[in-house]
Amino acid sequence: MKLSTKGRYGLRALIDLAVHSEREPVSISSISARQNLSERYLEQLMGKLKRAGMVKSVRGAQGGYQLAKEKKEISVGDILRALEGSLEAVECPGLKEEQGCEEADFCVTKYVWKRINDSITSAVDEITLEQLVTESKKVDHKVKNRNCGG
């Protein structure tokens, strides 16, 4: 499985939003500047995240985006599925009862594909946006200390 820029950039943008929107909405232009990402592309990504119920937009002069849920309620898996769709490394019809597969009863490899898919799902669903915000703050603290000789 290889994530596209939608997943990679969208995750970066949502971490940035979570870090900076604790007091007020965050503009696309400020996320764009901090993350060095295209404003147009960020608008598309935020639209998908908004439709998925993870962010909300605030209109007006002080408008922008805010999280629509608590950071601890949003997993990396939620974000990636909203932006990328399915995260399955292998789409095996034998794993889906409704699709079926003529060879499903005799196919042993479907167990490999199921384990891989389950591992990916488990890994991304266990990491919350709250954990990533905590890690981001640790990294920022290290960078600030290094830049001021501390």
Side-chain angles (χ1 to χ4, degrees):
M1 180 191 75
K2 189 171 184 175
L3 295 176
S4 72
T5 56
K6 287 186 285 190
R8 295 190 334 261
Y9 294 175
L11 184 57
R12 282 174 44 197
L14 207 53
I15 294 166
D16 185 286
L17 177 69
V19 167
H20 293 96
S21 70
E22 292 177 346
R23 292 185 192 89
E24 59 190 18
V26 176
S27 70
I28 288 288
S29 60
S30 66
I31 296 171
S32 170
R34 282 189 297 269
Q35 297 298 320
N36 195 27
L37 300 172
S38 157
E39 285 186 38
R40 268 201 170 148
Y41 199 42
L42 282 173
E43 284 286 357
Q44 293 173 18
L45 299 177
M46 287 299 179
K48 286 182 176 239
L49 293 168
K50 185 177 177 183
R51 286 188 291 282
M54 285 180 241
V55 300
K56 60 185 176 184
S57 58
V58 178
R59 295 184 181 268
Q62 301 299 317
Y65 287 89
Q66 290 181 305
L67 295 178
K69 297 179 178 181
E70 294 291 321
K71 293 179 281 226
K72 65 183 175 191
E73 296 174 8
I74 301 173
S75 74
V76 170
D78 295 333
I79 298 164
L80 295 177
R81 280 187 288 275
L83 297 169
E84 298 276 358
S86 173
L87 298 179
E88 292 183 344
V90 177
E91 292 186 28
C92 174
L95 295 176
K96 297 182 171 75
E97 289 181 30
E98 67 277 0
Q99 289 181 345
C101 172
E102 292 177 21
E103 305 297 320
D105 292 338
F106 313 104
C107 179
V108 177
T109 60
K110 71 180 181 184
Y111 298 106
V112 174
W113 312 142
K114 180 170 178 14
R115 292 261 322 259
I116 291 169
N117 291 342
D118 289 349
S119 294
I120 292 168
T121 298
S122 176
V124 296
D125 285 345
E126 288 176 9
I127 305 167
T128 66
L129 187 56
E130 184 174 56
Q131 290 170 304
L132 295 176
V133 166
T134 300
E135 289 301 314
S136 176
K137 289 178 179 179
K138 287 179 188 176
V139 169
D140 285 348
H141 183 72
K142 286 181 185 176
V143 169
K144 287 176 185 169
N145 282 342
R146 182 172 24 149
N147 289 341
C148 65

